[in-house]
């Protein structure tokens, strides 16, 4: 399995030209097999990350309502079952949060060495919902793209591996999922009137995403646009992207573990024979 | 009283050419008078800052051991007696702090709207003690000047007034003060063997300060080099600098208070007649 949804810096982004139905040439019948393999690989790499303690991983998940941020997190946490993984949701900012700069609350939750943090929404909302609803003047939000790039550079200069995923669904798929939420008792708590209202602003949001991805896809912290109409493919693509991002560090982390003679090495050994 | 110790962006800094004994043409016998006037003015402006809630103030204090950071803070807190003032010392970083980027612990303590934060040492230590003692490789600390400038821009873009003071003392004055600490029981707790040891590195520190001030004195967040051999002058100069920085906002804050009809207006009125 080899997929690449990275947006190279400087690329013009037109979401209408990226198929949210894509399944990267894979068959759904093979999904379980790929998922098992990637899950094991991810678990192994996340363990190495944790025990070596030389790098951090920040995973930023963004997408329209129902695009599958929660589902993606559930999938990742099934594999990355380590003490070093943390999920941080960023909802409407509190009174104290709004009294500070827009990066303040997110910076506090960035991962320390050996840790992996998953942001469910993030500081990108400050150039998305804030822009679409005009919550601050354009003179303000237009400065934020550059602040975001500088902030992410601070993180990557400090050995943080920054992975940003836009979960790309279609307007039709969203409608299906909203209707499902209405009809399924166990999902209806997730539905609010706001979800239907925000649909009217679909095009504005898509535009805001395009601009954010264009301006903030950098060499060291690129955006990835993940086709997300098929949940099984979305999960596979994200697992693959994380594995791809961590693998270059594998040898260095193993060397570090040899040096420090970590007692977990024995545990880790069981993973060493896993298929790539 | 009119003093200006601001370092214009792009200025070459040579600390040997700045007299730490300077008292800005003032007489010590007038110090109490100036101090009372500035203290009242500062108290008034800090109250306006707090009740208007439109801006924040970050005061960064840096200087060699014994240069008077604690004394300056005591002086400021006598005037700025508001709920909105906070002092944050930054000592040797903890295990958790060092696992994050160097700005992480300081960013958390930046002031919210209406607040004033005083940093006793700061993220500048990461280009001072860290550089002098080679605690991280040059490739690392040399990136940090730019990160600092971007960080301070984030703050000033978010209505934070950033004031950075280097308390400039001479090597002789430091010796006097260290000897005093040895001899006075009530000050001896402040003395450690490290203080004498660090003196050997005086020139390296002065050089590190010169570079930091040169690289990070920006239009929106300039450095000020305060002659600090005379404690009374150091206090006056810093009070004056803060008053000068806040006065341009006075009218706007008063207008804001009119708008929101804050009940504190009556309290504030007593200050309105104060001399400038």
């Amino acid at each position: 399995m080899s997929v690449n949804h990275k947006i190279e810096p400087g690329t013009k982004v037109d979401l209408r030209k990226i198929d949210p139905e894509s399944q990267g040439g894979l068959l759904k019948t093979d999904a379980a097999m790929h998922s098992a393999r990637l899950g094991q690989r991810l678990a192994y790499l996340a363990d190495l990350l944790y025990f070596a303690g030389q790098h951090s991983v920040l995973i930023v998940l963004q997408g329209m309502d129902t695009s599958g941020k929660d589902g993606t997190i559930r999938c990742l946490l099934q594999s990355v079952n380590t003490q070093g993984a943390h999920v941080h949701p960023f909802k409407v900012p509190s009174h104290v949060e709004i009294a500070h700069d827009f990066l303040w609350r997110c910076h506090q939750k960035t991962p320390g060495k050996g840790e992996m943090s998953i942001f469910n929404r993030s500081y990108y909302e400050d150039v998305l919902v804030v822009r679409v609803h005009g919550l601050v003047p354009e003179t303000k939000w237009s400065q934020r793209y550059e602040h975001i790039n500088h902030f992410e550079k601070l993180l990557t200069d400090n050995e943080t591996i920054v992975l940003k995923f836009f979960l790309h669904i279609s307007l039709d798929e969203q409608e299906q999922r909203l209707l499902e939420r209405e009809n399924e008792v166990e999902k209806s708590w997730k539905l609010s009137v706001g979800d239907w209202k925000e649909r009217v602003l679909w095009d504005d949001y898509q535009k805001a995403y395009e601009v954010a991805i264009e301006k903030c896809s950098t060499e060291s912290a690129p955006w990835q646009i993940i086709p997300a109409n098929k949940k099984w493919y979305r999960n596979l693509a994200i697992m693959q992207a994380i594995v791809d991002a961590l693998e270059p560090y594998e040898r260095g982390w193993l060397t570090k573990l040899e040096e420090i003679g970590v007692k977990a090495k024995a545990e880790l050994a069981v993973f060493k024979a896993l298929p790539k």
Side-chain angles (χ1 to χ4, degrees), chain A:
Chain A
M1 172 177 177
S2 165
V3 291
N4 187 355
H5 298 294
K6 250 183 227 173
I7 304 301
E8 293 302 323
T11 308
K12 179 97 190 123
V13 176
D14 184 346
L15 287 173
R16 289 164 305 181
K17 294 194 176 148
I18 299 173
D19 182 10
E21 287 284 343
S22 168
Q23 48 192 67
L26 300 183
L27 296 172
K28 190 177 178 184
T29 46
D30 292 338
M33 176 192 73
H34 290 303
S35 178
R37 187 183 49 83
L38 284 171
Q40 284 183 311
R41 209 49 209 143
L42 192 52
Y44 164 65
L45 289 165
D47 266 2
L48 284 186
L49 167 79
Y50 180 72
F51 287 111
Q54 293 177 311
H55 297 79
S56 317
V57 175
L58 173 61
I59 295 170
V60 173
L61 295 179
Q62 288 284 164
M64 303 294 287
D65 289 333
T66 77
S67 62
K69 297 180 289 294
D70 292 332
T72 303
I73 290 169
R74 270 196 306 278
C75 161
L76 293 178
L77 289 185
Q78 275 169 10
S79 305
V80 185
N81 187 15
T82 149
Q83 305 157 72
H86 308 282
V87 178
H88 300 286
F90 293 98
K91 310 234 174 215
V92 178
S94 72
H95 183 72
V96 172
E97 289 169 346
I98 208 105
H100 291 82
D101 68 86
F102 76 104
L103 292 171
W104 184 77
R105 64 177 183 157
C106 294
H107 196 178
Q108 294 180 28
K109 305 299 186 187
T110 52
K113 294 274 157 70
E115 295 176 338
M116 178 182 285
S117 290
I118 304 174
F119 282 7
N120 186 348
R121 302 189 188 271
S122 67
Y123 43 91
Y124 277 98
E125 290 297 330
D126 294 277
V127 292
L128 295 167
V129 63
V130 167
R131 173 182 167 143
V132 168
H133 285 278
L135 301 181
V136 304
E138 180 168 353
T139 50
K140 283 280 160 199
W141 58 251
S142 62
Q143 297 169 333
R144 291 180 174 172
Y145 303 102
E146 210 180 340
H147 286 309
I148 288 174
N149 287 342
H150 290 150
F151 173 61
E152 291 178 350
K153 185 70 167 49
L154 173 71
L155 300 180
T156 57
D157 277 355
N158 195 50
E159 284 79 54
T160 303
I161 302 158
V162 178
L163 299 165
K164 305 179 292 191
F165 300 108
F166 171 63
L167 309 186
H168 180 39
I169 56 167
S170 61
L171 188 60
D172 287 347
E173 178 67 20
Q174 191 190 49
E175 186 174 8
Q176 287 307 312
R177 294 185 185 185
L178 287 173
L179 289 171
E180 264 178 53
R181 285 191 184 180
E182 279 191 334
N183 296 330
E184 290 178 30
V185 175
E186 65 270 34
K187 279 192 179 175
S188 61
W189 63 272
K190 289 185 93 178
L191 191 74
S192 73
V193 180
D195 291 339
W196 287 109
K197 275 196 186 156
E198 289 296 280
R199 269 174 70 79
V200 180
L201 298 167
W202 180 273
D203 288 344
D204 293 346
Y205 271 107
Q206 296 284 301
K207 178 72 199 157
Y209 267 111
E210 286 171 350
V211 174
I213 293 170
E214 272 172 26
K215 287 185 185 281
C216 301
S217 204
T218 58
E219 207 61 61
S220 53
W223 268 101
Q224 311 204 29
I225 299 178
I226 306 293
N229 273 11
K230 313 276 189 204
K231 293 173 185 176
W232 64 270
Y233 180 71
R234 171 201 76 203
N235 287 350
L236 286 185
I238 288 180
M239 281 199 283
Q240 182 71 59
I242 300 174
V243 166
D244 288 348
L246 302 192
E247 267 178 351
Y249 300 93
E250 182 178 357
R251 186 176 295 273
W253 290 339
L254 284 171
T255 306
K256 176 73 179 177
L257 292 194
E258 295 290 340
E259 278 169 32
I260 59 178
V262 76
K263 64 172 190 279
K265 227 167 53 186
E267 287 175 51
L268 287 165
V270 301
F271 293 114
K272 281 191 185 168
L274 287 178
K276 289 235 174 178

